[in-house]
């Protein structure tokens, strides 16, 4: 009798050298892997993800973000500094108000894709 864990592995040891070579040729280098995993760790925090998700809807000021996420303006500012340092958000000043947005389409797609994936 087979167990579920036996069904999800190869039944015989068989390496496909051509497939291995093709995939190795397109793997990111160590620096890229480190940067990408750092970015994903930054997004993985629930508070930061809520901030990013809010900014995926539209550009918001710090006060509005605090109201949407349900934390203090000081806490939002702290998280935004981290997100800016990891190149996830950008800001602009309009008078004395700081408005934040997602940095680029890559981040927009990443946040939107994550939400879409878990909603399916």
């Amino acid at each position: 009798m087979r167990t579920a864990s036996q069904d999800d592995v190869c039944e015989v040891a068989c390496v496909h050298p051509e497939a291995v070579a093709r995939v190795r040729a397109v793997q990111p280098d160590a620096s890229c892997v480190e940067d990408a995993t750092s970015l994903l760790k930054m997004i993985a925090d629930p508070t930061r993800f809520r901030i990013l998700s809010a900014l995926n809807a539209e550009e918001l000021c710090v006060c509005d973000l605090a109201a949407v996420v349900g934390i203090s303006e000081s806490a939002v500012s702290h998280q935004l500094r981290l997100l800016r340092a990891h190149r996830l958000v950008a800001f602009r000043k309009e008078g004395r108000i700081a408005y934040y947005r997602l940095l680029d389409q890559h981040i927009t797609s990443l946040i939107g894709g994550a939400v879409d994936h878990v909603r399916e």
Side-chain angles (χ1 to χ4, degrees), residues 26-120:
V26 297
Q27 287 293 292
D29 64 24
S31 175
C32 183
V33 168
E34 185 64 33
D35 290 347
T37 56
S38 177
L39 174 131
L40 292 172
K41 287 176 189 174
M42 183 63 44
I43 291 171
D45 176 84
T47 298
R48 288 190 291 265
F49 191 86
R50 284 195 301 272
I51 290 169
L52 293 167
S53 183
L55 295 175
N56 199 36
E58 67 179 82
E59 178 183 74
L60 293 167
C61 74
V62 174
C63 302
D64 293 341
L65 277 168
V68 168
V69 177
I71 61 175
S72 70
E73 290 175 29
S74 174
V76 167
S77 291
H78 172 73
Q79 296 301 328
L80 289 168
R81 278 191 297 279
L82 293 171
L83 293 169
R84 274 185 36 217
H86 282 82
R87 297 181 19 211
L88 294 168
V89 298
F91 80 101
R92 68 179 177 85
K93 291 281 279 212
E94 190 171 295
R96 295 173 42 185
I97 308 292
Y99 289 93
Y100 281 81
R101 68 183 186 286
L102 297 182
L103 183 68
D104 60 28
Q105 187 59 41
H106 298 107
I107 305 305
T108 301
S109 296
L110 185 61
I111 300 304
V115 171
D116 289 347
H117 179 75
V118 298
R119 285 183 173 163
E120 287 182 355

